[in-house]
Amino acid sequence: MRHVLIAGGAGFIGSHLTDRLLARGCSVTVVDDLSTGSLANLQGVLDHPRFTYRNADVCDPGALQGIDLDVIFALASPASPVAYQSRPLATLAAGSAGTRTCLAAATDQGARMVLASTSEVYGDPLCHPQPESYWGNVNPIGERSMYDEAKRFAEALATAYRREHATNVGIVRIFNTYGPRMDPADGRAFPAFISAALRGEPLTVHGDGMQTRSLCYVDDLVAGLERMADSDHPGPINLGNPDERTILELAHAVIAACQSSSPVVFTERPPDDPSQRCPDITRAREVLGWEPRVPLAEGMLAMVAAYRAEVAQA
Ligand code: NAD
Ligand code: UDP
């Protein structure tokens, strides 16, 4: 990997990937419109001699023009329910037109592309844990449809480019990921819980908190993305940590990690909120030789420390 483009590289996952690839010796260009990301995430690399930033919307077909590429990571999309529900049309555009811009560039330059899809393509899964062979249970007009269907379309588009143009694209389905640089205001469970616990405010759990998620630390996740770029596998390949927990359990774990005395309060579950989610990562283990290494307790402490530092600076 030499010339790497990260579409959406000013976001949470993309900025960690940028750090990792620069450390490996790659030249990295980030293209981002800063709609949900921030240059603060790239603060440590803006002056790096092998780093370039371009402000552009990937839905613009000319967004990647003139950039020399061996590898493209297509990460540009709102990712949290609050972010994608507040901009449904932009989310659908990112998954469709944005993915097409990346696929066209990968095809023209003979580059390897990694498409960031999501566990949300499984919807509210009836099959548990979820293998890649499961087709999902998605409401096409529901409150999450702009994200779920955008990503499903992106997968279909990538598959069509591979079939019609032999584009070397690989699909990864990313499960819930956490770590420093997650936007504390993006409404996702970990950022919301940690921010509340550090302020001594109540943690709001949706429903009875018995729904489950399986959380992967960001360092593990970006190692998986890198392995996918190094392979020629078409995917889809699940990337996530199969350590499944209830949301209530996670809330109490956060309170303990923050040494907080915040209470837990309960509110209504949002519609179509998946009841269970856990990746089957057999394929990632076999094809990429990848599996997550960072235990939840350790990753959570790193994220709490980063948030504590931000709160102290604010
Ligand atoms: P993020 O919101 O922090 O990062 C996304 C980045 O894309 C932001 O910097 C944003 O400004 C940029 N962006 C959005 N639309 C754009 C556009 N049209 N043109 C240019 N830039 C654009 O989200 P994240 O958590 O880092 O997620 C990165 C990718 O991984 C997304 O594609 C997301 O769907 C996928 N994913 C993330 C998770 C997770 O748990 N974080 C889980 C599954 C899939
Ligand atoms: N959740 C919650 N309180 C919050 C934010 C989220 O109870 O403040 C719940 C949410 O309803 C879901 C789970 O936590 O059941 C994970 O939500 P998140 O938005 O982090 O991820 P996603 O639903 O996209 O997997």
Side-chain angles (χ1 to χ4, degrees):
M1 268 204 263
R2 286 179 312 165
H3 297 287
V4 180
L5 173 96
I6 306 180
F12 159 54
I13 293 175
S15 64
H16 284 277
L17 184 61
T18 300
D19 291 345
R20 186 177 179 96
L21 296 176
L22 284 173
R24 178 177 164 173
C26 301
S27 300
V28 177
T29 301
V30 162
V31 173
D32 204 294
D33 67 357
L34 303 183
S35 49
T36 58
S38 163
L39 282 184
N41 290 332
L42 296 169
Q43 214 171 14
V45 300
L46 286 174
D47 293 330
H48 194 291
R50 281 184 276 106
F51 179 78
T52 311
Y53 174 74
R54 178 185 290 189
N55 196 295
D57 178 349
V58 279
C59 299
D60 168 1
L64 310 184
Q65 217 149 30
I67 304 175
D68 231 6
L69 306 162
D70 301 309
V71 177
I72 302 181
F73 290 92
L75 307 183
S77 167
S80 80
V82 167
Y84 59 69
Q85 285 165 2
S86 68
R87 40 174 85 75
L89 294 176
T91 302
L92 283 158
S96 52
T99 303
R100 190 178 54 220
T101 304
C102 295
L103 284 162
T107 308
D108 287 350
Q109 301 207 35
R112 167 70 169 166
M113 171 166 149
V114 175
L115 172 65
S117 183
T118 168
S119 52
E120 283 280 332
V121 300
Y122 301 123
D124 190 1
L126 304 174
C127 167
H128 193 73
Q130 294 82 56
E132 292 85 353
S133 55
Y134 179 52
W135 291 355
N137 175 37
V138 173
N139 176 354
I141 55 165
E143 306 219 355
R144 291 174 172 249
S145 59
M146 73 295 287
Y147 183 66
D148 300 7
E149 298 294 9
K151 291 290 188 180
R152 289 169 70 97
F153 181 83
E155 289 199 11
L157 194 62
T159 306
Y161 262 81
R162 179 175 270 280
R163 287 195 182 121
E164 208 165 316
H165 298 301
T167 308
N168 182 11
V169 54
I171 299 165
V172 288
R173 293 183 179 153
I174 301 172
F175 283 64
N176 296 63
T177 303
Y178 71 101
R181 300 186 196 154
M182 274 184 107
D183 177 358
D186 79 5
R188 284 185 271 196
F190 249 24
F193 289 168
I194 296 176
S195 303
L198 290 178
R199 287 196 299 262
E201 291 169 3
L203 279 66
T204 306
V205 165
H206 301 159
D208 59 8
M210 289 300 113
Q211 67 272 34
T212 66
R213 292 294 187 273
S214 308
L215 285 127
C216 184
Y217 191 63
V218 66
D219 288 357
D220 282 333
L221 194 272
V222 297
L225 292 177
E226 187 183 10
R227 292 224 179 168
M228 188 61 169
D230 288 339
S231 90
D232 281 332
H233 200 277
I237 295 186
N238 288 337
L239 292 180
N241 191 326
D243 179 6
E244 184 183 9
R245 309 286 179 112
T246 68
I247 293 300
L248 187 57
E249 196 183 342
L250 288 174
H252 285 296
V254 165
I255 290 170
C258 294
Q259 298 176 304
S260 168
S261 51
S262 287
V264 171
V265 297
F266 295 89
T267 185
E268 252 177 68
R269 273 282 286 293
D272 297 343
D273 187 25
S275 296
Q276 52 182 0
R277 184 180 288 157
C278 180
D280 177 335
I281 59 164
T282 309
R283 190 176 286 175
R285 282 196 177 104
E286 288 176 1
V287 172
L288 304 178
W290 175 88
E291 63 183 358
R293 299 187 182 284
V294 181
L296 183 68
E298 191 183 318
M300 199 163 49
L301 283 181
M303 184 165 172
V304 167
Y307 270 44
R308 218 186 268 283
E310 266 182 49
V311 169
Q313 273 172 12

